[in-house]
């Protein structure tokens, strides 16, 4: 059974930085596509960034140049380094893993991911 556990959320002022961590376990395939998603109150869940050990990294336009996704393959930990945070980045952030290869153009669609963590809250104040 795949387990994902996020940590690292918190409250910061605009312009600050945070690094989110997703510890993984139970994955049979070490080269699955993984992603970070977020959901703000009253809004739909949106894809933020995605990567895989032997694949392409992709970002939502809203975070391009400010966020960096990475994987520690040895420890099987997924990271999201967030810089220049804005109040619009305030949301619950979720780590997710897809159980199958995904076509280009679908990497940030949440319905393509079948394993999810519980989320970690990020709050950015102005």
């Amino acid at each position: 059974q795949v387990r994902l556990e996020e940590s690292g959320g918190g409250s910061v002022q605009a312009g600050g930085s945070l690094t989110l961590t997703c510890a993984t376990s139970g994955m049979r395939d070490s080269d699955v596509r993984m992603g970070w998603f977020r959901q703000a109150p009253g809004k739909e869940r949106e894809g933020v960034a995605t990567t895989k050990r032997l694949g392409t990294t992709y970002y939502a336009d809203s975070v391009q140049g400010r966020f960096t996704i990475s994987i520690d393959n040895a420890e099987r930990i997924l990271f999201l380094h967030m810089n220049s945070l804005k109040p619009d980045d305030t949301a619950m952030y979720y780590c997710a893993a897809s159980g199958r290869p995904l076509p280009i153009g679908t990497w940030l669609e949440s319905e393509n991911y079948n394993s999810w963590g519980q989320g970690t809250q990020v709050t950015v104040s102005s």
Side-chain angles (χ1 to χ4, degrees):
Q1 180 179 1
V2 175
R3 293 192 62 183
L4 307 175
E5 184 173 358
E6 305 94 336
S7 61
S11 297
V12 297
Q13 290 190 330
S17 299
L18 281 174
T19 294
L20 305 183
T21 298
C22 175
T24 73
S25 62
M27 289 187 181
R28 295 181 180 180
D29 182 356
S30 63
D31 193 29
V32 299
R33 179 159 291 280
M34 299 195 66
W36 285 99
F37 294 77
R38 67 187 181 186
Q39 187 166 18
K43 296 186 177 181
E44 294 186 355
R45 187 170 296 187
E46 64 171 341
V48 174
T50 176
T51 191
K52 59 185 301 188
R53 184 170 63 90
L54 299 176
T56 304
T57 297
Y58 186 74
Y59 299 91
D61 290 344
S62 59
V63 306
Q64 179 74 47
R66 299 188 298 122
F67 290 10
T68 303
I69 189 172
S70 63
I71 293 179
D72 180 324
N73 293 313
E75 300 295 330
R76 297 198 177 187
I77 298 174
L78 182 72
F79 298 97
L80 184 67
H81 307 280
M82 306 185 294
N83 296 316
S84 301
L85 284 161
K86 305 174 182 180
D88 284 348
D89 295 319
T90 295
M92 184 71 77
Y93 283 72
Y94 299 90
C95 169
S98 176
R100 56 186 175 88
L102 301 179
I104 295 174
T106 70
W107 294 342
L108 289 181
E109 297 176 4
S110 60
E111 59 266 28
N112 292 324
Y113 292 75
N114 57 357
S115 296
W116 293 84
Q118 294 300 308
T120 185
Q121 178 68 37
V122 172
T123 302
V124 185
S125 58
S126 58

